């Protein structure tokens, strides 16, 4: 339990694009519980990581993988011992059309339309999507139909706007309480790609910022975990 402060502090959180909706729900709950004010800056994990290396004014980093927070800790840019896994992401092959039967077979036909994935070099959900495509044996056959989003948010937009027929997006983007809220999809079995373990870390510039450390504790609270699970993630 974190006691609310009469005059709370402030922090800026760098948030991976896939976690926009949960952070919008977590922010007011965090303020109500602690009195602290939180601002979020979103982007692909790779881009945010590069900005942190260039001294961007972030206090906490919510990555879409474990690798970048570990690197920041090794590089002296993250506070030792503050790193934790806050969510485990799930991947879905998604169509914006309702009531469709979606299976991996839609990737097989050369006339099946374009398929969007996030950039595997900068976005962990893109790395996972590339692993699934390889596991299905479609890496070469699908290449002419692939379009890449800079991050998972842009990938979702490609499909939502009809610029791609299908896309590998985060389950959290298209679901609420375990159900599709729009479109149709195939939930990718978790064993078809490396686990999408999303880690957070307090950045070195915020090592003496109580709001940053309170935020990390709040992420592990029952209230925050409930929000995270409602938005389509697993928690440890």
């Amino acid at each position: 339990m974190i006691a609310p402060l009469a005059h709370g502090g402030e922090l800026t959180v760098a948030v991976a694009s896939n976690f926009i909706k949960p952070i919008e729900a977590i922010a007011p709950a965090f303020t109500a519980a602690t009195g602290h004010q939180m601002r979020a800056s979103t982007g692909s994990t790779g881009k945010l990581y590069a900005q942190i290396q260039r001294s961007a004014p972030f206090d906490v980093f919510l990555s879409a993988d474990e690798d970048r927070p570990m690197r920041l800790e090794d590089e002296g840019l993250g506070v030792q011992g503050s790193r934790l896994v806050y969510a485990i992401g799930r991947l879905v092959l998604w169509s914006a059309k309702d009531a469709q039967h979606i299976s991996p077979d839609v990737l097989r036909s050369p006339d099946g339309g374009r398929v969007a994935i996030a950039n595997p070099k900068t976005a962990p959900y893109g790395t996972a999507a590339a692993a699934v495509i390889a596991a299905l044996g479609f890496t070469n056959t699908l290449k002419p139909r692939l379009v890449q989003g800079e991050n998972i948010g842009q990938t979702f937009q490609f499909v939502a706007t009809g610029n791609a027929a299908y896309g590998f997006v985060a389950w959290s983007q298209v679901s609420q309480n375990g159900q599709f809220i729009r479109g149709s999809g195939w939930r990718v079995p978790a064993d078809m790609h490396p686990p999408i373990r999303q880690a957070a870390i307090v950045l070195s510039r915020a090592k003496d910022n109580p709001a940053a450390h309170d935020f990390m504790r709040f992420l592990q609270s029952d209230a925050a975990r409930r929000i995270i699970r409602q938005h389509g993630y697993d928690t440890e």
Side-chain angles (χ1 to χ4, degrees):
M1 179 84 180
I2 306 169
L5 302 176
H7 300 288
E10 296 182 350
L11 77 157
T12 301
V13 182
V15 184
S17 299
N18 69 284
F19 207 68
I20 291 173
K21 288 198 293 184
I23 205 67
E24 289 174 347
I26 287 171
F30 171 64
T31 297
T34 65
H36 300 310
Q37 297 293 325
M38 190 208 80
R39 295 185 301 274
S41 180
T42 63
S44 74
T45 289
K47 290 288 182 68
L48 292 172
Y49 170 70
Q51 290 172 18
I52 291 165
Q53 289 184 308
R54 295 194 297 268
S55 303
F58 303 139
D59 300 302
V60 172
F61 179 34
L62 267 61
S63 175
D65 66 3
E66 284 188 291
D67 182 57
R68 267 76 164 205
M70 290 175 65
R71 286 194 225 170
L72 291 171
E73 198 169 10
D74 291 342
E75 293 163 1
L77 297 174
V79 175
Q80 292 286 330
S82 68
R83 178 168 46 86
L84 59 87
V85 173
Y86 65 93
I88 300 171
R90 296 297 305 272
L91 193 67
V92 59
L93 177 60
W94 182 67
S95 164
K97 296 180 180 179
D98 294 327
Q100 300 291 303
H101 174 68
I102 309 298
S103 76
D105 287 340
V106 303
L107 304 175
R108 191 185 308 275
S109 171
D111 301 321
R114 296 200 293 178
V115 178
I117 67 169
N119 185 344
K121 293 181 180 179
T122 59
Y125 280 82
T127 304
V132 173
I133 292 168
L136 292 169
F138 294 155
T139 300
N140 292 326
T141 57
L142 193 56
K143 190 174 295 184
R145 295 168 54 201
L146 282 182
V147 291
Q148 277 190 13
E150 179 180 308
N151 52 52
I152 201 68
Q154 188 178 62
T155 305
F156 170 83
Q157 287 301 322
F158 283 156
V159 186
T161 58
N163 288 306
Y166 308 98
F168 283 96
V169 303
W171 172 234
S172 61
Q173 292 173 297
V174 297
S175 69
Q176 187 75 33
N177 295 321
Q179 302 294 325
F180 280 100
I181 54 176
R182 61 178 299 186
S184 312
W186 170 61
R187 291 188 66 182
V188 178
D191 60 2
M192 288 192 71
H193 59 78
I196 308 173
R197 290 167 54 86
Q198 303 193 188
I201 192 168
V202 177
L203 300 174
S204 294
R205 71 183 299 274
K207 65 180 179 180
D208 296 321
N209 182 349
H213 294 279
D214 281 350
F215 179 74
M216 296 292 277
R217 282 191 286 272
F218 185 76
L219 273 182
Q220 300 173 82
S221 70
D222 289 342
R225 289 184 180 193
R226 185 164 52 249
I227 292 170
I228 291 167
R229 289 193 294 267
Q230 286 172 346
H231 283 83
Y233 295 88
D234 295 330
T235 57
E236 292 192 321

